[in-house]
Amino acid sequence: MASNRNKLEHGRASVAMVHAEAARQAGKLKEYASLAKRTPMLIKTNGLGAALAFIKAKRNASDKSRNEHRMLYEDLKSWLADQRCPLPLPPNTGDLVAYLIELDSPDYRAYTLETLAYLTWVRRFSEGLSKD
């Protein structure tokens, strides 16, 4: 029987694989992989809220309908709302950044760690797909 940790890693991996494949199908895999690789350092340097606010601003500032910032932001929000996520966002959360910055410290740290763990899988799959 698989442990809860294995189930969690499997959930992260399966969702990340779908998201990386979607980036490849959109012709944005290289850019998506690069952003996914840079984002953990943005989070560690500036905090989760500031990093996601930056990505969100880039997402909104772009005149492209489906750029890598938009994709990664939506993919992160999708994972954090997924029921396989250990602390899924409440239904109808609305703005992700606004929700996260209002959390108390333990919950904020938990979402930060979960986002970093998810991004590890996104990086693995997007780098792997880019080598195909």
Side-chain angles (χ1 to χ4, degrees):
M1 181 173 211
S3 71
N4 285 340
R5 178 151 176 88
N6 287 343
K7 287 179 186 177
L8 174 58
E9 289 298 324
H10 179 73
R12 285 180 187 139
S14 63
V15 171
M17 183 176 68
V18 168
H19 290 158
E21 180 59 36
R24 183 171 78 146
Q25 294 295 322
K28 289 291 190 178
L29 184 59
K30 182 178 177 185
E31 297 88 348
Y32 184 84
S34 176
L35 181 59
K37 188 175 183 180
R38 291 189 323 261
T39 300
M41 188 51 68
L42 279 173
I43 293 170
K44 291 175 184 175
T45 304
N46 303 301
L48 180 61
L52 290 181
F54 171 78
I55 292 169
K56 181 180 176 186
K58 289 286 191 176
R59 174 198 82 163
N60 291 336
S62 175
D63 55 315
K64 298 177 185 173
S65 63
R66 187 97 169 118
N67 69 27
E68 65 274 9
H69 291 87
R70 176 178 305 282
M71 293 173 76
L72 187 62
Y73 183 86
E74 296 301 325
D75 292 348
L76 285 169
K77 188 173 181 180
S78 171
W79 168 247
L80 293 174
D82 194 293
Q83 291 305 306
R84 291 172 286 184
C85 179
L87 36 127
L89 295 170
N92 304 318
T93 297
D95 184 65
L96 178 60
V97 175
Y99 175 78
L100 292 172
I101 63 175
E102 293 297 321
L103 293 172
D104 58 17
S105 278
D107 288 338
Y108 186 83
R109 277 192 299 273
Y111 276 106
T112 299
L113 293 174
E114 183 55 36
T115 300
L116 292 170
Y118 173 72
L119 284 169
T120 298
W121 283 105
V122 171
R123 284 193 330 264
R124 287 177 185 164
F125 283 114
S126 29
E127 287 172 1
L129 287 172
S130 67
K131 293 177 182 175
D132 287 347

